[in-house]
Amino acid sequence: MEKFVKLIYDDKSFEFPLIKGSQNEKAIDIKNLRKETGLITLDPGYKNSGSCKSEITFLDGEKGVLKYRGYSIEDLAKKSSFLEVSYLLIFGNLPTKDQLSKFKTDIDNESIIDEDLKVILKSFPKSSHPMGILASLTSALTAFNPTALDIKSEDEMYKAIVMIMAKFPILCAWTQRKVKGLPLNYSDISISYIENITKMFFKKPNQEYRNNKIINSAIDKLLILHADHEQNCSTSTVRIVGSSYAGLFASISAGISALWGRLHGGANQAVIEMLENIKADGGDISRYLKKAKDKNDPFRLMGFGHRVYKNFDPRARIIKKTADEVLSKLGIDDPVLDIAKNLEKIALKDSYFVDRKLYPNVDFYSGIIYRALGIPTEMFTVMFALGRLPGWIAQWKEMRENFEPIGRPRQIFIGSVDRDYSSIETR
Ligand code: CMC
């Protein structure tokens, strides 16, 4: 039996349906709220607002649970590969051997980029931030691969997905190579999706590239952990941009810009910069904790806190363990890892962080691994984008296939009312 939530306003009683998710999450369906009552809801930052129903990712912030299509993040990080997880997120099920092999072959066939795109890349100064370059190149892809997609055509949808899965890693690698001043290279389709990514990123022009299993497996795991996170800022951006019928590449380019900010994906770069500053200050953690707690200081402890997790971010647990393993296997002793661990230990005992349920998030330890793998600090958020790609695709696809209406919030206007225009001479 359908349940309702009662709203009493102006002495009248209204009923709105109660919606339940498959994990018993509950929401009030307010689709008809304005029509029936004349009211809208006000929820800055959408802290209480669901924007869609989705079958892709579930997370329970109170319990620290994250699942893609019903599979736990712990299982996927341990047993799966990034390409397989991408398929799972985008198409809904883990692929069979044949499906995965076809997906890889189709991606391989699309893994070339129009040479003219290099002209655009060349015109960026080397000092440009990689996220700015990546957003521009991704948007420019549209010019070279027109994809006025017929949403009802499975073939066209598949082709667009394969194209972006093939071309995006090349753009990410080219962005790093541009920053490092290395020649731009192409995909090697004779090796796995991940091996090819690491080769494109790290191959030096004067020597053969030898695949490194430790690096490949670390990157594979990090990409899986970043692959989707339901309606976060960049994903919501991708969905809302796509809801105007902007194409897949344009929507993803917008998502990259949203991810760039320090409160979202840009936090991974900000964490390392913060840890480096603490190191340069002689390891004075307490000074930074004090700053983070001071309401008159805009500084926040980067890599801490989350809109949804009010418990450990399960991704952070896995990444912390992986950081230990990778550094030890590569024989790297990074003092910044010790600072990070100490900072976490002290913060988790501090009532400010305890009371507000602020725990390390996915970005707290990831930069330490990227750095150990030889990825420049400014490239960290590009790595996040590379991982988030299948999530953005899956969410865009779901939004278009469900024919969701254009995203267009309302507002409460609090500005001036009816002002008389005065000429510039009299102002
Ligand atoms: N350092 C110090 N205080 C914090 C922090 C922090 N990192 N995060 C939250 N708080 C405080 C905040 O000041 C507020 O205190 P009060 O209740 O006294 O006003 C309280 O905790 C609740 O915070 P909020 O700002 O209302 O929470 P939010 O859900 O709007 O923000 C957040 C979430 C992730 C933007 C925030 O925790 C933050 O700025 N963290 C640092 C940046 C970061 O690590 N971002 C990566 C997020 S995870 C990966 C991703 O999404 O890309």
Side-chain angles (χ1 to χ4, degrees):
M1 208 177 66
E2 200 172 8
K3 283 197 173 167
F4 292 88
V5 173
K6 215 176 246 180
L7 171 75
I8 300 181
Y9 168 64
D10 243 1
D11 291 335
K12 278 192 214 124
S13 172
F14 303 89
E15 282 188 338
F16 296 96
L18 185 77
I19 306 281
K20 262 196 206 171
S22 50
Q23 295 263 355
N24 215 19
E25 289 185 300
K26 297 185 192 79
I28 310 166
D29 178 348
I30 55 155
K31 273 201 288 291
N32 293 325
L33 177 70
R34 188 166 179 277
K35 200 160 87 189
E36 290 183 22
T37 66
L39 298 170
I40 63 163
T41 56
L42 184 63
D43 186 19
Y46 311 121
K47 291 193 177 195
N48 309 282
S49 294
S51 59
C52 60
K53 289 185 197 164
S54 179
E55 294 181 7
I56 303 169
T57 290
F58 171 75
L59 74 89
D60 182 333
E62 272 69 37
K63 294 193 183 128
V65 170
L66 172 62
K67 291 180 187 177
Y68 299 159
R69 302 277 189 189
Y71 297 95
S72 82
I73 193 66
E74 289 79 8
D75 248 13
L76 292 171
K78 199 162 160 194
K79 300 174 186 161
S80 196
S81 70
F82 178 61
L83 193 61
E84 196 177 55
V85 167
S86 301
Y87 189 99
L88 169 71
L89 284 167
I90 297 169
F91 301 110
N93 290 306
L94 283 169
T96 61
K97 260 190 194 161
D98 286 352
Q99 285 168 331
L100 189 62
S101 150
K102 179 177 182 313
F103 193 40
K104 167 77 165 70
T105 307
D106 294 336
I107 288 173
D108 288 345
N109 289 336
E110 284 294 341
S111 61
I112 30 173
I113 293 213
D114 195 299
E115 281 290 299
D116 283 351
L117 210 88
K118 288 185 179 169
V119 180
I120 301 177
L121 180 58
K122 215 170 166 208
S123 62
F124 279 95
K126 222 187 245 163
S127 57
S128 312
H129 193 283
M131 286 297 276
I133 302 178
L134 186 65
S136 307
L137 293 185
T138 307
S139 182
L141 267 187
T142 317
F144 299 97
N145 306 279
T147 50
L149 195 72
D150 171 7
I151 212 72
K152 289 187 198 126
S153 158
E154 233 176 84
D155 278 356
E156 284 191 27
M157 180 67 96
Y158 182 77
K159 179 107 194 282
I161 291 166
V162 157
M163 268 172 137
I164 192 83
M165 285 293 295
K167 296 179 198 305
F168 194 67
I170 305 177
L171 298 186
C172 293
W174 280 8
T175 303
Q176 159 142 319
R177 298 184 79 82
K178 161 91 186 179
V179 173
K180 286 193 152 187
L182 291 168
L184 305 181
N185 53 0
Y186 274 98
S187 284
D188 177 351
I189 61 170
S190 67
I191 51 181
S192 78
Y193 191 73
I194 283 296
E195 283 168 342
N196 177 45
I197 287 176
T198 53
K199 185 173 175 186
M200 282 193 296
F201 267 78
F202 300 118
K203 186 178 178 334
K204 299 214 173 95
N206 57 351
Q207 50 185 256
E208 274 291 296
Y209 182 74
R210 273 211 218 109
N211 252 301
N212 180 321
K213 275 197 180 144
I214 302 167
I215 296 182
N216 290 340
S217 122
I219 290 194
D220 209 17
K221 196 173 279 194
L222 282 166
L223 297 185
I224 291 173
L225 294 172
H226 285 87
D228 194 44
H229 212 237
E230 51 118 300
Q231 307 313 317
N232 55 82
C233 177
S234 58
T235 302
S236 299
T237 302
V238 169
R239 284 184 90 122
I240 208 164
V241 171
S243 76
S244 74
Y245 293 179
L248 178 60
F249 300 171
S251 306
I252 285 176
S253 168
I256 295 166
S257 298
L259 186 72
W260 190 354
R262 291 162 77 84
L263 296 190
H264 192 10
N268 57 12
Q269 175 181 338
V271 168
I272 286 289
E273 287 165 357
M274 175 185 78
L275 294 173
E276 278 295 345
N277 285 340
I278 297 177
K279 189 173 137 227
D281 274 0
D284 188 0
I285 289 172
S286 59
R287 191 166 91 80
Y288 286 82
L289 287 181
K290 213 166 146 199
K291 270 167 78 61
K293 295 191 280 185
D294 180 357
K295 292 291 168 202
N296 297 316
D297 189 326
F299 175 80
R300 285 189 158 199
L301 201 58
M302 300 315 290
F304 256 74
H306 197 276
R307 169 61 59 81
V308 185
Y309 291 121
K310 300 301 164 202
N311 195 325
F312 247 95
D313 179 339
R315 303 166 301 173
R317 271 190 215 277
I318 302 172
I319 292 181
K320 182 179 177 186
K321 197 162 157 261
T322 310
D324 273 330
E325 285 164 9
V326 170
L327 266 63
S328 125
K329 280 185 194 158
L330 293 175
I332 294 172
D333 179 22
D334 189 344
V336 151
L337 179 59
D338 293 330
I339 294 177
K341 283 184 181 169
N342 264 332
L343 182 60
E344 177 192 330
K345 216 185 252 137
I346 299 171
L348 292 184
K349 282 190 198 137
D350 188 307
S351 62
Y352 175 94
F353 294 91
V354 174
D355 294 349
R356 288 169 181 75
K357 300 191 165 101
L358 302 171
Y359 291 87
N361 59 49
V362 69
D363 290 321
F364 194 63
Y365 288 102
S366 62
I368 294 172
I369 307 181
Y370 291 136
R371 187 153 108 132
L373 303 181
I375 295 171
T377 309
E378 287 206 323
M379 278 292 298
F380 292 177
T381 316
V382 168
M383 297 307 294
F384 192 148
L386 183 55
R388 186 54 53 90
L389 178 69
W392 288 333
I393 298 171
Q395 301 272 353
W396 187 92
K397 180 171 178 280
E398 182 181 72
M399 181 273 305
R400 290 301 311 271
E401 286 176 349
N402 287 345
F403 298 101
E404 282 174 21
I406 186 166
R408 204 290 187 196
R410 286 188 174 262
Q411 63 166 19
I412 293 294
F413 178 71
I414 54 165
S416 315
V417 181
D418 294 338
R419 301 167 92 184
D420 285 330
Y421 182 85
S422 55
S423 68
I424 197 159
E425 290 76 22
T426 59
R427 275 171 228 159

